[in-house]
Amino acid sequence: MAHSPSHPHTPGDHRHGHAHSEHAHPDHGGGQEEGLAHLLDLDAELFAPYRARVLDRIADRTGGSPGRIVDLGAGTGTGTFALLERFPAARVTAVDTSPDMLDRLTAAARERGLADRLSTLEADAAEGLPGLAGADLVWASAALHHFGDPAASLAAIRAALRPGGLLAVAEMDGVPRFLPDDAVPERPGLEGRLRSALDALHTEQVPHLGDDWGAHLAEAGFAVELAHAEDLELRAPLPEGAGLYAHLALGRIAGALEGSIADEDLAALRTLLDGGRYDVRHRDDLVVRSRRELWVARRPEGGA
Ligand SMILES: C[S@@+](CC[C@H](N)C(=O)[O-])C[C@H]1O[C@@H](n2cnc3c(N)ncnc32)[C@H](O)[C@@H]1O
């Protein structure tokens, strides 16, 4: 994995030429940032009610509106925009290793009229957060498991927070599930086998996906105030975008698992994507299932 030097930006001022970590789970990485960006935006749209509940839980603990917020691994800015809207007095610094994501986020901020409350920082959060200190709230959604050594990244986050400041860690248990067992009748149990193959890939590539972040947070000296998990399910009548979300996610899975699953399973997976009768974009038996977890922890008032 190659990382460019960390450096601060204001909107529209990212340095380019950076390669970031790519891995295979369908909500992250996989070589096509366009597809990932679309997937992140659709995820935010489809699960907006859940995110609103998460923001309620955070707002309950901030003791008033936070002034300085950091969105770590901000991606397209799903968290950044939700936080800017929820906390109208706040400024957000969006941090990402990907200049492409930061460019998208900056353009979207301009479109929404929010650019004057946004700064961006192209940085590898695992290597420290240069120039960031005294934050009231750090938000890290579907991000921490990317950062490698949890102790190192949590130490960097702790240093960026003011004493008494909050860290919110949102994670998902990996790949959402979409299909009934007989989705492709010729290959029953297809999704279960895809999931097992992905789990093996993730163990290798993103070993901290699915970790108990409560334990990591406590070890890093945070006081954990909330650990909450929800099983989310979208079923018919599905909201607009659900079929496309499944299509994008399964398409990324197909790319990631090429060569590591049976040819027959790969061919069956492709029939879910090819516009034919099994295509997930127009099935009425699609159910989007995803487990989401949230930890909210505080940097204690005393100590370094
Ligand atoms: C799955 S996306 C999540 C985006 C966003 N937080 C959301 O929930 O929609 C993970 C993001 O983390 C970024 N990322 C990966 N490793 C990183 C690191 N070491 N430091 C900062 N950002 C990183 C990726 O470029 C990507 O934009």
Side-chain angles (χ1 to χ4, degrees), residues 59 64-67 69 80-92 114 116-117:
S65 181
I69 301 178
T80 295
F81 298 128
L83 289 159
L84 283 171
E85 278 155 20
R86 182 59 181 249
F87 300 115
R91 292 188 56 82
V92 173
L114 293 170
D116 59 334
R117 292 165 57 213

Side-chain angles (χ1 to χ4, degrees), residues 3 20-21 27-28 33 36 40 71-79 95-98 101 123-126 139-143 145-147:
H3 290 285
H20 79 103
S21 141
D27 54 324
H28 322 63
E33 264 188 354
L36 173 60
L40 294 172
D71 182 1
L72 277 188
T76 55
T78 57
V95 181
D96 208 288
T97 42
S98 162
M101 286 297 184
D124 181 339
W139 162 261
S141 162
H145 68 268
H146 281 281
F147 296 176

Side-chain angles (χ1 to χ4, degrees), residues 191-213:
E191 191 167 45
R193 290 192 298 282
L194 298 179
R195 210 177 154 80
S196 303
L198 276 172
D199 285 346
L201 206 63
H202 293 163
T203 301
E204 210 180 285
Q205 296 187 342
V206 275
H208 297 294
L209 180 68
D211 274 10
D212 174 4
W213 287 92

Side-chain angles (χ1 to χ4, degrees), residues 65-222:
S65 181
R68 299 176 60 191
I69 301 178
V70 177
D71 182 1
L72 277 188
T76 55
T78 57
T80 295
F81 298 128
L83 289 159
L84 283 171
E85 278 155 20
R86 182 59 181 249
F87 300 115
R91 292 188 56 82
V92 173
T93 302
V95 181
D96 208 288
T97 42
S98 162
D100 180 61
M101 286 297 184
L102 292 174
D103 281 343
R104 286 172 193 274
L105 194 156
T106 301
R110 286 205 184 100
E111 266 172 38
R112 292 170 181 240
L114 293 170
D116 59 334
R117 292 165 57 213
L118 172 73
S119 308
T120 60
L121 172 67
E122 186 191 327
D124 181 339
E127 292 174 6
L129 295 166
L132 296 186
D136 300 299
L137 171 64
V138 171
W139 162 261
S141 162
L144 277 192
H145 68 268
H146 281 281
F147 296 176
D149 177 16
S153 31
L154 290 176
I157 294 170
R158 200 171 184 275
L161 277 169
R162 67 164 169 79
L166 281 184
L167 166 60
V169 177
E171 289 280 326
M172 56 201 283
D173 68 338
V175 189
R177 279 134 292 186
F178 300 103
L179 300 164
D181 262 8
D182 61 351
V184 181
E186 300 80 0
R187 299 292 294 169
L190 174 66
E191 191 167 45
R193 290 192 298 282
L194 298 179
R195 210 177 154 80
S196 303
L198 276 172
D199 285 346
L201 206 63
H202 293 163
T203 301
E204 210 180 285
Q205 296 187 342
V206 275
H208 297 294
L209 180 68
D211 274 10
D212 174 4
W213 287 92
H216 290 310
L217 287 162
E219 272 163 37
F222 285 88

